[in-house]
Amino acid sequence: MSTSTFVGFAALLVALFVWFRKPSKASSSTPLPPGPKPLPVLGNVRDLTAKELWLPATQWGKDFGDVVYLHVFGQGLVFLNSPEAVFDLLDKRGSIYSDKPQLIMICDLCGCKNMVAFTGYNEQSKRHRKLMHQAFAPKVINTYHPLMISETHDFLRRLIADPSGYMAHTRRYSGGLTLSVVYGYEAAPHDDKFLAMAEETVDLLANRIASGGGIWPVDILPFLQYLPLWAPGAGFLRNAAKWKATLEECVEKPYEYLKESMKSGNYTQSFCSMLLDENKATEEFEFDLKWVANSMYASSMDTVITTIAHFLLAMMHNPEALAKAQKEIDTVVGSDRLPDFNDRSSLPYVDAIFSETLRWGVPVPLNLPHRLMEDDVYNGKFIPKGSLVFGNIWAIVRDERIYPKASEFIPERFLEEVDEATARRRDPRNYVFGFGRRQCPGNYLVESSIWLLMASMLATLKISKPVDEEGNVIEPKVEFKNPVFRIPTPFKCDIRPRSEAVLNVIRQNTA
C-alpha cells in the first residue's frame, strides 16, 4: 500500500468515527456557538492558517460574535474575542477551563508534557504553580532587582558598541537575566553554552514543535505514533526523538550546574537555590523544580524580545512620544544616573509607553489553548467537553470600543482619568499574560525587567529610522513569521547615544 493510500484510508476511518459517534445530550437541545461554515466531516480545515491565526480569528469575532466555534475532524476549537468572554469562562469558570490539551506530538513524542505551559490541570500543575508563587510573588520580585539592573547596564553597553545587533543583544539580555534569576548562573560574554542551549530550545518550541498551533497529523490520527522509524512519512517521529533529547538536555544540564555549585558552597542565590533551601528535596520535588525552572527561561525569552522589538518600532514611528518620555526622565532622574525602580511612580509617561507597547505589540496574540474539562453552556450556547479554547488577545487589544484608534500607538490613552472598572478593562496586563489559573506565574518578573529596560533605553538613546547614503529615510519593513509569538523579522533601526554625558554614565555603571 502506498503512503498516500495508507494515509487516505486512515483519514477515512477517522472521518467515519467522527461522523457516527454519538453526540452529547446537551448538544441536541442547545446550539453550538456560531462560526464559519464547516465542510462535511473535515470541518473547518480550510479556515485555519499556521501564520497569524489571530487575524482570521478576529474577523470571525466581528462576523459571529464574542464566542466563535469551529471544528476539525470533530475536535472543537473555541475563540473568545472579548474581555467579558475570557473572564467569564477562563477566569470565573477556571475549575473546568484550566486544563491543557495533551497532544501526542508535543506532550508525548517531544517530551513537553512536564513543562508548565503543557501540564494538564492536575496535582502536578498545582505543585508547579505553588513553586513559582513562592519565588515570583510580587513581594519577592524586589530581591531580583540588582540582577535586573546589572543585566540592563550590560545590555546598554553592548547595544551602543554594536547597534545593528539589537535583536541579539536583547536575546542575550533576556536569556542572561533568566539564567541568573533561575539558576544563579552568570552567562559568558560570548558563546555561552547554556544560552545557546536555551535559544535552541525556544526555537524548537515556537517554530517547529508548536508551529501551526501545535496540532500535528498524529494528534488527529493517533496510530501514526506507532509507525516504524524507517517507514515513509515517519520523519516527524525521527524529528520528535531528536527534539526530545535536546529539550531534556536543556532541563538537566543547568540544574546539574546549580546542584554542583550548591554542593561546593560557591553559588549565587536564585529561584532554584531558594526553593531547595526552603523545601525537602524529595525526588518528586526535584523533578518538579527542574521542569519549572526550564519553563521559566524557555517562556520568557521570546516575550522580552518581542516587546522590545515593538518598542523600537513604536519609537521610530512616534518620535514625539520618545521626546516626551525623555523630557520626563531628564526632569525626574536627571543626567547623572540611570533610572531605577524607585523612579517608576514618578515617571507616568514612561509607564504609559510601557503599557501601550504591551497592548500595541501584544507578544502572544492568541493565548495558548485551554481544554474544557466538561460540557458547558454560555449565553445559551453549548460548548462541548474537550474543546480547545483560545483567548483571542489580539481581538481584545485591537477593540475600538476599549481602545479608540486601536491600530495607533497612543501612550496618552493610559493617562486619562477613568473609573476603576474602565481602568481594569483597559489594562493590557490583564490580557497579555494569559487568563485564569493558567496565567503566566512569572508575569511580575517579566514586567519589571522589561520596564527597566525600556526606561533605560529611553534615558540614554536616540532611536530613529535609518537613512541611506543619499539621506533618504529607510522605512522599516517587517513580517511576522512565528506562529506563536508576534516577533517581527529583523529591521533596520538607527540607535545611538543621546550625548557624551550618557556614555559616561553607562561606562560608570558597567565598569
Side-chain angles (χ1 to χ4, degrees), residues 151 154 157-158 171-181 184-196 257:
E151 288 291 343
D154 286 346
R157 174 178 52 79
R158 288 190 291 270
R171 191 177 297 277
R172 169 64 176 75
Y173 162 82
S174 177
L177 173 62
T178 313
L179 285 170
S180 296
V181 169
Y185 174 80
E186 184 175 350
H190 305 287
D191 301 323
D192 185 84
K193 59 181 179 180
F194 288 159
L195 275 179
Y257 160 84

Side-chain angles (χ1 to χ4, degrees), residues 255-267 276:
Y255 190 76
E256 289 174 5
Y257 160 84
L258 168 81
K259 291 296 293 289
E260 289 299 319
S261 299
M262 293 186 70
K263 189 182 297 183
S264 69
N266 182 24
Y267 68 99
L276 284 166

Side-chain angles (χ1 to χ4, degrees), residues 196-368:
M197 197 180 294
E199 289 181 17
E200 183 178 9
T201 299
V202 169
D203 179 66
L204 284 178
L205 287 169
N207 294 314
R208 300 189 188 185
I209 295 175
S211 65
I215 307 294
W216 290 70
V218 69
D219 298 310
I220 300 172
L221 309 173
F223 64 86
L224 292 177
Q225 66 186 298
Y226 303 113
L227 284 174
L229 293 179
W230 50 262
F236 75 95
L237 290 173
R238 296 190 291 272
N239 284 333
K242 290 188 294 184
W243 297 342
K244 183 177 183 179
T246 298
L247 178 63
E248 289 179 346
E249 183 181 37
C250 196
V251 171
E252 296 292 340
K253 294 297 183 181
Y255 190 76
E256 289 174 5
Y257 160 84
L258 168 81
K259 291 296 293 289
E260 289 299 319
S261 299
M262 293 186 70
K263 189 182 297 183
S264 69
N266 182 24
Y267 68 99
T268 302
Q269 189 73 355
S270 65
F271 166 79
C272 287
S273 66
M274 181 179 71
L275 291 175
L276 284 166
D277 285 338
E278 294 178 356
N279 297 272
K280 184 179 178 181
T282 63
E283 183 176 341
E284 180 185 81
F285 172 79
E286 292 211 59
F287 182 84
D288 287 340
L289 182 58
K290 280 192 294 189
W291 282 96
V292 168
N294 172 268
S295 299
M296 275 303 302
Y297 80 94
S299 64
S300 65
M301 288 180 67
D302 276 345
T303 300
V304 175
I305 293 164
T306 304
T307 306
I308 294 302
H310 281 284
F311 166 72
L312 290 173
L313 285 171
M315 294 302 96
M316 283 196 290
H317 286 294
N318 300 274
E320 71 287 347
L322 174 63
K324 190 171 180 179
Q326 290 178 333
K327 182 178 179 181
E328 182 180 71
I329 291 172
D330 292 344
T331 301
V332 173
V333 179
S335 58
D336 297 330
R337 66 179 179 86
L338 297 176
D340 60 35
F341 291 104
N342 294 322
D343 300 311
R344 186 167 184 176
S345 61
S346 303
L347 298 171
Y349 193 75
V350 172
D351 219 46
I353 284 182
F354 169 77
S355 295
E356 182 69 341
T357 302
L358 282 183
R359 183 202 70 82
W360 185 74
V362 59
V364 183
L366 204 58
N367 187 226
L368 294 176

Side-chain angles (χ1 to χ4, degrees), residues 414-436:
F414 293 105
L415 299 176
E416 297 172 358
E417 290 291 335
V418 295
D419 58 72
E420 185 177 344
T422 302
R424 182 181 184 278
R425 182 177 170 84
R426 286 184 180 180
D427 189 346
R429 297 164 185 79
N430 291 325
Y431 312 119
V432 299
F433 293 117
F435 306 103

